[in-house]
Amino acid sequence: MEAKERFRKRSMKPYVVGIGLLVGIFLLSVLLRPHGEPSSSHVVFDSSALSRTRTIGKVGNVAINKQKSYWDVDKLMERLPRIDPQRKLESISGEAATGDIDTDYWDVEDDKNVTFWDIDDDDEGDVETEASGGLGPTGTASEEDGNQSEGQAKKRPPDFIIIGARKCGTRALLAMIALHPQIVSAGQEVHYFDREENYKQGLNWYIDHMSPSLEWQMTTEKSPSYFDFQHVPERIKKYFKDTQKEPKLVLIVRNPVDRVVSDFTQGLSHRGTDLADKARIQAEFRQRAIDNQGNVNQEWRPITISKYSFHLRRWWKEFRQEQLFIVNGDNLLTNPITEMKKVSSFLNLDNKFDWNDHLYYNETRGFYCLHKKNGSSPCLGSTKGRTHPEIDAAILEKLRNYYKPFNKEFKNMTGLDVDWDM
C-alpha cells in the first residue's frame, strides 16, 4: 500500500511542477506586459480622449507622436501641466493667446520635418527649441563654440530681449539671429516680465530659464507679449539696472491689418475651425473686430496690439531711442539679409559673420531659406505658412482707416520706411 502511494505521488509531481511553471509564466507576462494593448485591469483612453490630448498638446506645442501607445499617452499627460492654463483657455476660446507661435513666416507644406512647430518644444514650457543658434542639441553652448573661449558655459542674464510684437515674426527673427555663433537663446518663451506668477519668482528664476552660454556669447529671450503689456517697460528697465547691463531691446512690426488677421487666424487654428466655412469665419471676425455701433472694437486685443505708436510711447518713456531697435517684419520676409545686417550692427556682433552664407534665396521655391548648423533648411514661406481666411473687404478697409493715424505717428516717431496705409 505504501509503495502504491509513493508511486502515485511521484507520478503527479511533474504535473504539479508543470502547473506551477505555467502560473509563474502567466504572472511574469502580466508584470512585463509590453507597450501594446493594455490588460482589462488598465484604464483605456477612447478615441475622443486621444483627440483632446492632441489638441491640448498642439496648443502648448507639445510634440505628440501619433504612434504612441495608451501607456505613452499617460506620460504625455504628465507633461501637460507645464503648459500655462491661461494660455490654453485663451487659445481654445479663440482670443489672443499671451504666448506667441510665430509659424506664419514659415513654409508649412515644404518643411514639415524641420519647421519649429514640429519640434518637441513648448513656447511656454521647459523644452529647448531649435531656434538656438550656436547651441548644441540640448540648448547649451556646443563643444565647437567652447573651443573659441576658455571657461565653462553657464546660465547668464539676457544681454538683449526681443519684446514682440506678437504675430509679427518674432520666431523667424529669433531663428535668424540665432544663426550667429555669438547668440544663445532661451529654449522657450519665458514670459517673466508680463506674468505676475513668474515675476514674483525673482531674477534667479528668470536666469535659470536661460540656456547656458560662454562669456563671449550673448544671451537672449523673446516673449512677444512684452510689447503691449503696460507694466513691462518699467520692469525691464529695472532688470537692466539690477544686472548692470546696457539696455538693448529688439522689436519687430509688420502691416497692422495683416497682423490682426494673422492673430485671428491663429485662434481659429487652435480651435480646429474649418477655414472653408467662409460665412462662419467672416461673421466671427466681424463680431470680434466691429462693435455694436459699427466702429472698430478697440477692446479686442488683436486690435490694440497693432497700435504700434501707442505702445512705443510707453517704451520710450523708459528707454532711449537708440536702445530699442525696430525690425521691419515685412522686409524681413522679402529681404532678410539686409534686415539682419542692421540687427547685427545694433547688437555689435562680429561683422566677420557673413549672412549671405546662412540666408539664401531658393529660386525653385521663390523665397528665402536658412542654412542651419544641424543641416536643416527651414524656409520663409511665400504664403507665410498658415493660410489666412477670406475677410470681408469692407471690414478690412475700416481697419486700414482706423490704423492710418497710428501708422503715420509710428513712421514719424521712428523714421522707419514702412509701406502701410497712411
Side-chain angles (χ1 to χ4, degrees), residues 285-318:
F285 188 84
R286 175 184 291 275
Q287 181 183 19
R288 294 180 181 278
I290 306 300
D291 62 22
N292 294 332
Q293 286 72 43
N295 300 316
V296 172
N297 181 12
Q298 301 183 50
E299 301 299 320
W300 191 32
R301 188 177 173 221
I303 295 291
T304 63
I305 293 175
S306 288
K307 297 192 295 186
Y308 302 136
S309 61
F310 172 79
H311 301 297
L312 188 60
R313 287 197 300 269
R314 187 170 62 253
W315 285 90
W316 278 1
K317 287 181 180 179
E318 306 298 334

Side-chain angles (χ1 to χ4, degrees), residues 41-300:
S41 62
H42 289 83
V43 177
V44 178
F45 286 89
D46 60 16
S47 59
S48 63
L50 285 174
S51 176
R52 288 195 296 273
T53 301
R54 291 192 183 97
T55 301
I56 294 173
K58 183 179 180 182
V59 171
N61 218 15
V62 175
I64 297 179
N65 190 329
K66 293 180 180 179
Q67 303 301 318
K68 294 283 187 182
S69 69
Y70 297 119
W71 302 58
D72 293 317
V73 171
D74 289 330
K75 297 176 182 177
L76 288 168
M77 293 296 288
E78 292 175 0
R79 293 179 56 192
L80 292 181
R82 297 182 182 180
I83 304 170
D84 185 81
Q86 185 67 19
R87 158 73 175 219
K88 289 191 290 184
L89 290 175
E90 290 176 338
S91 299
I92 294 172
S93 66
E95 296 297 333
T98 53
D100 183 42
I101 306 176
D102 272 330
T103 57
D104 278 1
Y105 274 72
W106 298 97
D107 176 34
V108 180
E109 298 300 325
D110 293 335
D111 281 291
K112 287 184 177 178
N113 293 324
V114 293
T115 44
F116 296 113
W117 55 89
D118 278 333
I119 303 169
D120 185 19
D121 89 285
D122 173 358
D123 275 5
E124 296 148 6
D126 303 327
V127 189
E128 272 72 19
T129 69
E130 187 184 22
S132 300
L135 302 183
T138 58
T140 58
S142 65
E143 292 181 3
E144 179 182 341
D145 294 333
N147 292 333
Q148 301 181 43
S149 174
E150 295 182 359
Q152 294 182 343
K154 67 177 183 179
K155 295 182 178 181
R156 308 171 193 271
D159 299 284
F160 70 97
I161 301 172
I162 300 176
I163 61 174
R166 171 179 159 79
K167 303 310 302 171
C168 286
T170 56
R171 175 158 294 198
L173 174 63
L174 178 61
M176 292 183 190
I177 294 177
L179 290 171
H180 199 291
Q182 280 183 258
I183 301 300
V184 173
S185 67
Q188 68 284 323
E189 292 176 4
V190 183
H191 290 279
Y192 173 64
F193 298 102
D194 61 328
R195 295 185 179 175
E196 295 298 329
E197 67 270 23
N198 293 340
Y199 191 70
K200 69 181 181 181
Q201 300 295 326
L203 184 58
N204 289 336
W205 181 93
Y206 182 49
I207 296 173
D208 192 53
H209 281 72
M210 299 302 117
S211 296
S213 63
L214 300 167
E215 285 189 9
W216 58 276
Q217 293 177 310
M218 298 182 71
T219 298
T220 188
E221 68 112 340
K222 67 106 176 170
S223 296
S225 54
Y226 286 167
F227 178 59
D228 63 296
F229 270 66
Q230 183 175 359
H231 52 264
V232 170
E234 295 93 336
R235 288 181 173 181
I236 291 184
K237 180 179 181 179
K238 181 179 184 302
Y239 159 77
F240 280 114
K241 181 179 180 180
D242 291 344
T243 57
Q244 298 182 336
K245 288 180 175 290
E246 174 65 25
K248 284 185 179 293
L249 305 170
V250 177
L251 168 70
I252 180 170
V253 295
R254 66 188 287 199
N255 183 296
V257 177
D258 291 344
R259 201 218 64 79
V260 172
V261 176
S262 179
D263 212 332
F264 172 70
T265 303
Q266 178 169 296
L268 296 176
S269 177
H270 286 168
R271 287 179 288 137
T273 303
D274 183 6
L275 297 183
D277 192 349
K278 295 182 180 179
R280 175 187 172 187
I281 291 174
Q282 290 194 9
E284 181 176 341
F285 188 84
R286 175 184 291 275
Q287 181 183 19
R288 294 180 181 278
I290 306 300
D291 62 22
N292 294 332
Q293 286 72 43
N295 300 316
V296 172
N297 181 12
Q298 301 183 50
E299 301 299 320
W300 191 32

Side-chain angles (χ1 to χ4, degrees), residues 315-332:
W315 285 90
W316 278 1
K317 287 181 180 179
E318 306 298 334
F319 298 94
R320 301 192 306 273
Q321 293 186 23
E322 62 267 22
Q323 294 174 330
L324 193 160
F325 183 79
I326 303 174
V327 179
N328 186 326
D330 299 309
N331 286 350
L332 185 71

